[in-house]
Amino acid sequence: MSINQMNDHTTYCGFVAIVGRPNVGKSTLMNHILGQKLSITSRRPQTTRHQVVGIKTDDNVQVVYVDTPGMHKMEKDRNKAINRYMNQAASSALKDVNLVIFIVDRMRWTEEDDVVLSKLEGIRCPVILAINKIDRLEDKQELLPYLEQVAKKRHFDAILPISAHHGHNLEQLDTLVRSHMPESFHFYPEDQITDRSERFLASELVREKIMRQLGDEIPYQVTVEIEEFSDAGNVLHISALILVERIGQKKIIIGEQGSRIKQIGQEARIDMERAFGEKVMLNLWVKVKNGWSDDERALKSLGYSDI
Protein backbone atom coordinates (compact mmCIF):
# COMPACT_ATOMS: atom_id res chain seq x y z
CA MET A 1 0.00 0.00 0.00
CA SER A 2 1.46 3.33 -1.05
CA ILE A 3 1.13 6.69 0.67
CA ASN A 4 -1.27 7.74 -2.08
CA GLN A 5 -3.41 4.70 -1.39
CA MET A 6 -3.59 5.70 2.28
CA ASN A 7 -5.20 8.96 1.22
CA ASP A 8 -7.91 7.47 -1.03
CA HIS A 9 -11.33 6.18 0.05
CA THR A 10 -10.37 2.51 -0.09
CA THR A 11 -10.21 0.84 3.32
CA TYR A 12 -7.30 -1.28 4.53
CA CYS A 13 -7.17 -3.69 7.44
CA GLY A 14 -4.80 -6.38 8.62
CA PHE A 15 -3.44 -8.31 11.59
CA VAL A 16 0.01 -7.80 13.15
CA ALA A 17 1.53 -10.24 15.65
CA ILE A 18 3.99 -8.78 18.15
CA VAL A 19 6.34 -11.57 19.25
CA GLY A 20 9.57 -12.00 21.16
CA ARG A 21 11.12 -13.62 24.18
CA PRO A 22 9.97 -12.58 27.67
CA ASN A 23 10.57 -9.05 28.91
CA VAL A 24 11.67 -7.35 25.66
CA GLY A 25 8.90 -4.73 25.68
CA LYS A 26 6.09 -6.22 23.57
CA SER A 27 3.27 -4.95 25.79
CA THR A 28 4.92 -1.56 26.27
CA LEU A 29 5.14 -1.23 22.49
CA MET A 30 1.47 -2.02 21.93
CA ASN A 31 0.35 0.34 24.69
CA HIS A 32 2.43 3.14 23.17
CA ILE A 33 1.09 2.45 19.68
CA LEU A 34 -2.50 2.57 20.94
CA GLY A 35 -1.88 5.65 23.06
CA GLN A 36 -3.38 4.02 26.14
CA LYS A 37 -2.80 1.14 28.52
CA LEU A 38 -4.24 -2.16 27.37
CA SER A 39 -1.62 -4.83 28.10
CA ILE A 40 -0.25 -4.95 31.62
CA THR A 41 3.47 -4.46 32.15
CA SER A 42 6.09 -5.08 34.80
CA ARG A 43 9.82 -5.66 34.98
CA ARG A 44 9.21 -9.34 35.57
CA PRO A 45 9.45 -11.70 32.57
CA GLN A 46 6.28 -13.49 31.45
CA THR A 47 3.92 -10.83 32.76
CA THR A 48 1.73 -11.27 29.67
CA ARG A 49 -0.02 -14.65 29.67
CA HIS A 50 -2.69 -14.29 27.00
CA GLN A 51 -3.05 -12.97 23.51
CA VAL A 52 -4.31 -9.40 23.85
CA VAL A 53 -5.77 -7.68 20.80
CA GLY A 54 -5.29 -3.93 20.37
CA ILE A 55 -7.07 -2.12 17.54
CA LYS A 56 -5.81 1.11 16.00
CA THR A 57 -7.97 2.83 13.38
CA ASP A 58 -6.74 5.93 11.57
CA ASP A 59 -9.05 7.14 8.80
CA ASN A 60 -9.20 4.33 6.23
CA VAL A 61 -6.50 2.11 7.78
CA GLN A 62 -7.22 -0.30 10.64
CA VAL A 63 -4.41 -2.31 12.23
CA VAL A 64 -5.27 -5.17 14.58
CA TYR A 65 -2.26 -5.83 16.83
CA VAL A 66 -1.91 -9.09 18.76
CA ASP A 67 0.30 -8.82 21.84
CA THR A 68 1.63 -12.23 22.88
CA PRO A 69 3.28 -13.93 25.86
CA GLY A 70 7.05 -14.21 25.67
CA MET A 71 8.20 -17.37 23.93
CA HIS A 72 10.55 -19.25 26.22
CA LYS A 73 12.44 -22.52 26.63
CA MET A 74 10.69 -25.21 28.62
CA GLU A 75 13.17 -25.71 31.44
CA LYS A 76 12.87 -27.37 34.83
CA ASP A 77 11.40 -24.32 36.57
CA ARG A 78 9.30 -23.38 33.54
CA ASN A 79 7.75 -26.67 32.50
CA LYS A 80 4.23 -26.39 33.81
CA ALA A 81 0.90 -26.39 32.02
CA ILE A 82 0.78 -22.60 32.20
CA ASN A 83 4.17 -22.37 30.44
CA ARG A 84 2.94 -24.66 27.69
CA TYR A 85 -0.18 -22.52 27.39
CA MET A 86 1.83 -19.29 27.05
CA ASN A 87 4.12 -20.73 24.36
CA GLN A 88 1.12 -22.06 22.47
CA ALA A 89 -0.69 -18.73 22.75
CA ALA A 90 2.34 -16.93 21.31
CA SER A 91 2.89 -19.44 18.49
CA SER A 92 -0.78 -19.52 17.46
CA ALA A 93 -0.76 -15.73 17.00
CA LEU A 94 1.47 -16.24 13.95
CA LYS A 95 -1.32 -17.95 12.04
CA ASP A 96 -3.08 -15.90 9.37
CA VAL A 97 -1.45 -12.54 10.18
CA ASN A 98 -0.35 -10.04 7.56
CA LEU A 99 2.79 -8.91 9.37
CA VAL A 100 5.00 -9.90 12.30
CA ILE A 101 6.93 -7.51 14.53
CA PHE A 102 9.75 -9.50 16.14
CA ILE A 103 11.16 -7.58 19.11
CA VAL A 104 14.63 -8.18 20.51
CA ASP A 105 16.66 -6.40 23.15
CA ARG A 106 19.47 -4.08 22.10
CA MET A 107 22.92 -5.66 21.92
CA ARG A 108 21.84 -9.01 23.36
CA TRP A 109 20.69 -11.99 21.28
CA THR A 110 19.85 -15.01 23.44
CA GLU A 111 18.86 -18.66 23.03
CA GLU A 112 15.25 -17.65 23.55
CA ASP A 113 15.52 -15.22 20.63
CA ASP A 114 16.53 -18.29 18.62
CA VAL A 115 13.38 -20.04 19.91
CA VAL A 116 11.28 -17.21 18.47
CA LEU A 117 13.29 -17.19 15.24
CA SER A 118 12.61 -20.90 14.75
CA LYS A 119 8.86 -20.24 15.04
CA LEU A 120 9.13 -17.76 12.16
CA GLU A 121 10.70 -20.23 9.75
CA GLY A 122 7.44 -21.44 8.25
CA ILE A 123 5.53 -18.18 7.97
CA ARG A 124 5.10 -16.41 4.66
CA CYS A 125 4.18 -12.91 5.75
CA PRO A 126 6.72 -10.07 6.11
CA VAL A 127 8.71 -9.78 9.35
CA ILE A 128 9.97 -6.52 10.84
CA LEU A 129 12.79 -6.86 13.37
CA ALA A 130 12.43 -4.16 16.03
CA ILE A 131 15.51 -3.69 18.21
CA ASN A 132 14.14 -2.23 21.43
CA LYS A 133 15.51 -0.21 24.35
CA ILE A 134 18.06 1.68 22.29
CA ASP A 135 17.53 4.64 24.64
CA ARG A 136 19.73 2.73 27.10
CA LEU A 137 22.72 2.78 24.76
CA GLU A 138 25.25 5.44 25.67
CA ASP A 139 26.99 5.16 22.31
CA LYS A 140 24.61 4.52 19.40
CA GLN A 141 27.61 3.55 17.23
CA GLU A 142 27.79 0.31 19.23
CA LEU A 143 24.56 -0.71 17.54
CA LEU A 144 26.00 -0.95 14.02
CA PRO A 145 27.91 -4.26 14.42
CA TYR A 146 24.84 -5.74 16.14
CA LEU A 147 22.60 -4.67 13.24
CA GLU A 148 24.96 -6.43 10.83
CA GLN A 149 24.92 -9.53 13.01
CA VAL A 150 21.13 -9.85 13.31
CA ALA A 151 20.61 -9.08 9.61
CA LYS A 152 22.25 -12.45 8.88
CA LYS A 153 19.75 -14.38 11.02
CA ARG A 154 17.07 -14.40 8.28
CA HIS A 155 15.56 -12.13 5.68
CA PHE A 156 13.79 -9.31 7.48
CA ASP A 157 11.65 -6.89 5.50
CA ALA A 158 12.97 -4.13 7.74
CA ILE A 159 15.25 -3.77 10.77
CA LEU A 160 14.37 -0.82 12.95
CA PRO A 161 15.96 0.37 16.22
CA ILE A 162 13.22 1.63 18.56
CA SER A 163 12.43 2.64 22.10
CA ALA A 164 8.96 1.38 22.97
CA HIS A 165 9.08 3.23 26.29
CA HIS A 166 10.14 6.62 24.93
CA GLY A 167 8.52 6.34 21.50
CA HIS A 168 11.71 6.59 19.47
CA ASN A 169 11.15 5.60 15.81
CA LEU A 170 7.58 4.48 16.48
CA GLU A 171 6.21 6.83 13.81
CA GLN A 172 8.50 5.15 11.31
CA LEU A 173 7.33 1.75 12.56
CA ASP A 174 3.70 2.85 12.18
CA THR A 175 4.36 3.87 8.57
CA LEU A 176 5.95 0.49 7.85
CA VAL A 177 3.04 -1.36 9.44
CA ARG A 178 0.41 0.63 7.56
CA SER A 179 2.21 0.00 4.25
CA HIS A 180 1.72 -3.75 4.72
CA MET A 181 -2.01 -3.64 5.39
CA PRO A 182 -4.07 -5.22 2.59
CA GLU A 183 -7.16 -3.72 1.03
CA SER A 184 -10.06 -4.89 3.19
CA PHE A 185 -13.13 -3.77 5.08
CA HIS A 186 -12.54 -2.88 8.75
CA PHE A 187 -13.19 -5.76 11.12
CA TYR A 188 -14.03 -3.55 14.11
CA PRO A 189 -15.84 -0.24 14.74
CA GLU A 190 -13.42 2.69 14.61
CA ASP A 191 -13.83 3.48 18.32
CA GLN A 192 -13.13 -0.08 19.52
CA ILE A 193 -9.62 -0.67 20.91
CA THR A 194 -9.77 -4.33 21.98
CA ASP A 195 -11.83 -7.48 21.75
CA ARG A 196 -11.22 -8.25 25.42
CA SER A 197 -13.95 -7.78 28.02
CA GLU A 198 -13.82 -5.29 30.87
CA ARG A 199 -13.82 -8.26 33.27
CA PHE A 200 -10.60 -9.51 31.66
CA LEU A 201 -8.99 -6.06 31.82
CA ALA A 202 -9.96 -5.73 35.49
CA SER A 203 -8.37 -9.07 36.38
CA GLU A 204 -5.20 -8.15 34.52
CA LEU A 205 -4.90 -4.79 36.30
CA VAL A 206 -5.06 -6.52 39.69
CA ARG A 207 -2.45 -9.07 38.59
CA GLU A 208 -0.20 -6.27 37.31
CA LYS A 209 -0.15 -4.60 40.73
CA ILE A 210 0.76 -7.90 42.37
CA MET A 211 3.58 -8.47 39.85
CA ARG A 212 4.92 -4.95 40.25
CA GLN A 213 4.82 -4.89 44.05
CA LEU A 214 5.72 -8.48 44.83
CA GLY A 215 7.56 -9.72 41.74
CA ASP A 216 10.64 -10.70 43.73
CA GLU A 217 8.64 -12.41 46.50
CA ILE A 218 5.75 -14.03 44.65
CA PRO A 219 6.58 -16.45 41.82
CA TYR A 220 4.30 -16.93 38.87
CA GLN A 221 1.77 -19.16 40.64
CA VAL A 222 -0.70 -16.32 41.04
CA THR A 223 -3.76 -15.50 38.96
CA VAL A 224 -6.87 -13.37 39.34
CA GLU A 225 -10.51 -14.32 38.74
CA ILE A 226 -13.33 -11.76 38.64
CA GLU A 227 -16.30 -13.02 40.65
CA GLU A 228 -18.48 -9.91 40.41
CA PHE A 229 -18.63 -7.15 37.81
CA SER A 230 -21.81 -5.11 38.08
CA ASP A 231 -22.81 -1.52 37.35
CA ALA A 232 -25.08 0.14 39.89
CA GLY A 233 -25.76 3.86 39.73
CA ASN A 234 -22.60 4.88 37.84
CA VAL A 235 -20.47 2.81 40.22
CA LEU A 236 -18.79 -0.41 39.13
CA HIS A 237 -18.78 -3.08 41.83
CA ILE A 238 -15.91 -5.48 41.21
CA SER A 239 -14.90 -8.45 43.35
CA ALA A 240 -11.66 -10.17 42.42
CA LEU A 241 -10.35 -13.49 43.75
CA ILE A 242 -6.55 -13.79 43.86
CA LEU A 243 -5.46 -17.41 43.59
CA VAL A 244 -2.09 -18.61 44.88
CA GLU A 245 -0.63 -22.07 45.39
CA ARG A 246 0.72 -21.91 48.94
CA ILE A 247 -0.39 -20.44 52.24
CA GLY A 248 2.89 -18.52 52.51
CA GLN A 249 2.08 -16.70 49.26
CA LYS A 250 -1.33 -15.77 50.62
CA LYS A 251 0.27 -14.23 53.70
CA ILE A 252 2.69 -12.20 51.58
CA ILE A 253 -0.10 -10.77 49.39
CA ILE A 254 -2.27 -9.86 52.36
CA GLY A 255 0.65 -8.30 54.21
CA GLU A 256 0.88 -7.16 57.79
CA GLN A 257 -2.63 -6.30 59.01
CA GLY A 258 -3.82 -6.32 55.39
CA SER A 259 -1.51 -3.48 54.34
CA ARG A 260 -0.24 -5.07 51.12
CA ILE A 261 -3.58 -6.16 49.70
CA LYS A 262 -4.98 -2.74 50.54
CA GLN A 263 -2.22 -1.07 48.52
CA ILE A 264 -2.73 -3.49 45.62
CA GLY A 265 -6.44 -2.70 45.64
CA GLN A 266 -5.93 1.06 45.76
CA GLU A 267 -3.56 1.10 42.79
CA ALA A 268 -5.72 -1.30 40.75
CA ARG A 269 -8.85 0.74 41.45
CA ILE A 270 -7.21 3.95 40.20
CA ASP A 271 -6.27 2.26 36.91
CA MET A 272 -9.74 0.72 36.58
CA GLU A 273 -11.45 4.07 37.03
CA ARG A 274 -9.18 5.53 34.37
CA ALA A 275 -9.86 2.62 32.00
CA PHE A 276 -13.62 2.33 32.55
CA GLY A 277 -14.44 6.00 33.02
CA GLU A 278 -16.46 5.63 36.21
CA LYS A 279 -16.11 5.13 39.95
CA VAL A 280 -15.07 1.64 41.06
CA MET A 281 -15.72 -0.20 44.32
CA LEU A 282 -13.14 -2.98 44.41
CA ASN A 283 -13.00 -5.92 46.82
CA LEU A 284 -10.08 -8.35 46.81
CA TRP A 285 -9.87 -11.82 48.31
CA VAL A 286 -7.00 -14.32 48.43
CA LYS A 287 -7.46 -18.08 48.22
CA VAL A 288 -5.03 -21.00 48.09
CA LYS A 289 -5.60 -23.44 45.20
CA ASN A 290 -2.80 -25.98 45.20
CA GLY A 291 -1.24 -26.80 41.83
CA TRP A 292 -3.53 -24.69 39.64
CA SER A 293 -0.66 -23.57 37.35
CA ASP A 294 0.12 -27.18 36.35
CA ASP A 295 -3.47 -28.40 36.03
CA GLU A 296 -4.97 -28.27 32.51
CA ARG A 297 -8.55 -28.39 33.77
CA ALA A 298 -7.95 -25.67 36.35
CA LEU A 299 -6.33 -23.45 33.71
CA LYS A 300 -9.34 -23.78 31.40
CA SER A 301 -11.73 -22.93 34.24
CA LEU A 302 -9.63 -19.81 34.92
CA GLY A 303 -9.85 -18.60 31.32
CA TYR A 304 -6.59 -20.00 29.93
CA SER A 305 -8.32 -21.45 26.91
CA ASP A 306 -8.52 -18.63 24.35
CA ILE A 307 -6.39 -20.25 21.63
Side-chain angles (χ1 to χ4, degrees):
M1 181 178 61
S2 68
I3 297 298
N4 290 333
Q5 284 176 304
M6 292 181 190
N7 295 325
D8 66 22
H9 296 293
T10 307
T11 57
Y12 302 86
C13 184
F15 289 79
V16 179
I18 304 175
V19 301
R21 63 174 169 83
N23 210 29
V24 291
K26 298 179 296 297
S27 297
T28 300
L29 175 63
M30 190 170 81
N31 289 341
H32 206 118
I33 287 171
L34 297 176
Q36 65 184 89
K37 183 173 186 173
L38 185 57
S39 289
I40 66 171
T41 61
S42 81
R43 294 182 179 180
R44 301 290 293 177
Q46 298 175 342
T47 299
T48 299
R49 290 181 178 171
H50 304 265
Q51 292 181 11
V52 180
V53 167
I55 306 155
K56 182 177 181 180
T57 306
D58 284 329
D59 299 323
N60 61 331
V61 182
Q62 182 173 88
V63 184
V64 184
Y65 291 94
V66 185
D67 184 22
T68 63
M71 295 185 192
H72 55 281
K73 295 174 65 178
M74 298 293 287
E75 297 174 334
K76 183 177 180 181
D77 60 339
R78 295 192 297 182
N79 194 26
K80 295 187 175 184
I82 192 169
N83 296 100
R84 293 192 294 273
Y85 166 86
M86 288 190 288
N87 271 344
Q88 187 180 353
S91 297
S92 67
L94 295 171
K95 299 175 182 177
D96 303 319
V97 294
N98 303 98
L99 179 68
V100 172
I101 300 175
F102 175 18
I103 303 184
V104 297
D105 205 340
R106 83 276 182 236
M107 305 300 292
R108 194 163 70 93
W109 187 281
T110 71
E111 289 185 10
E112 290 191 325
D113 293 311
D114 284 325
V115 170
V116 183
L117 191 66
S118 69
K119 298 292 184 181
L120 301 178
E121 287 179 358
I123 69 168
R124 297 181 179 179
C125 70
V127 178
I128 295 173
L129 181 67
I131 301 174
N132 195 22
K133 304 180 185 178
I134 61 165
D135 53 294
R136 300 183 185 179
L137 286 175
E138 292 184 7
D139 183 2
K140 298 298 189 289
Q141 294 299 315
E142 295 177 6
L143 192 59
L144 295 178
Y146 184 65
L147 291 174
E148 294 177 359
Q149 174 192 340
V150 297
K152 298 175 183 176
K153 299 287 186 179
R154 65 158 285 159
H155 169 72
F156 295 105
D157 288 78
I159 299 177
L160 187 65
I162 67 168
S163 169
H165 184 71
H166 293 285
H168 182 74
N169 269 354
L170 294 196
E171 288 186 9
Q172 187 175 347
L173 178 62
D174 180 66
T175 299
L176 282 169
V177 169
R178 288 163 62 92
S179 71
H180 284 94
M181 294 300 97
E183 183 176 329
S184 168
F185 61 88
H186 290 181
F187 290 97
Y188 298 95
E190 65 177 77
D191 59 347
Q192 186 171 344
I193 64 159
T194 187
D195 66 346
R196 286 293 190 171
S197 68
E198 290 183 334
R199 292 178 73 102
F200 173 81
L201 297 177
S203 68
E204 287 287 88
L205 287 172
V206 174
R207 191 167 63 84
E208 178 188 63
K209 305 313 171 191
I210 297 170
M211 295 288 286
R212 287 190 171 191
Q213 292 191 35
L214 298 169
D216 293 329
E217 299 174 74
I218 295 291
Y220 299 105
Q221 292 86 13
V222 59
T223 194
V224 179
E225 184 176 19
I226 301 299
E227 295 191 315
E228 179 193 5
F229 194 103
S230 59
D231 199 337
N234 295 323
V235 177
L236 277 176
H237 291 266
I238 301 174
S239 293
L241 177 64
I242 301 168
L243 288 178
V244 294
E245 294 196 331
R246 296 195 297 273
I247 188 66
Q249 297 168 350
K250 178 178 179 178
K251 290 178 180 179
I252 290 172
I253 289 177
I254 292 174
E256 188 175 351
Q257 297 181 340
S259 59
R260 179 62 69 180
I261 196 170
K262 181 179 179 181
Q263 185 178 356
I264 290 167
Q266 287 175 341
E267 293 185 6
R269 178 182 54 79
I270 290 170
D271 274 8
M272 288 178 191
E273 290 180 341
R274 185 180 297 116
F276 304 143
E278 56 185 312
K279 185 175 176 60
V280 171
M281 297 290 290
L282 176 63
N283 291 309
L284 300 180
W285 314 91
V286 188
K287 179 181 178 181
V288 177
K289 185 178 179 68
N290 292 323
W292 72 263
S293 67
D294 201 22
D295 184 329
E296 299 278 0
R297 293 179 63 184
L299 286 172
K300 288 183 178 180
S301 73
L302 292 168
Y304 293 84
S305 57
D306 54 358
I307 53 177

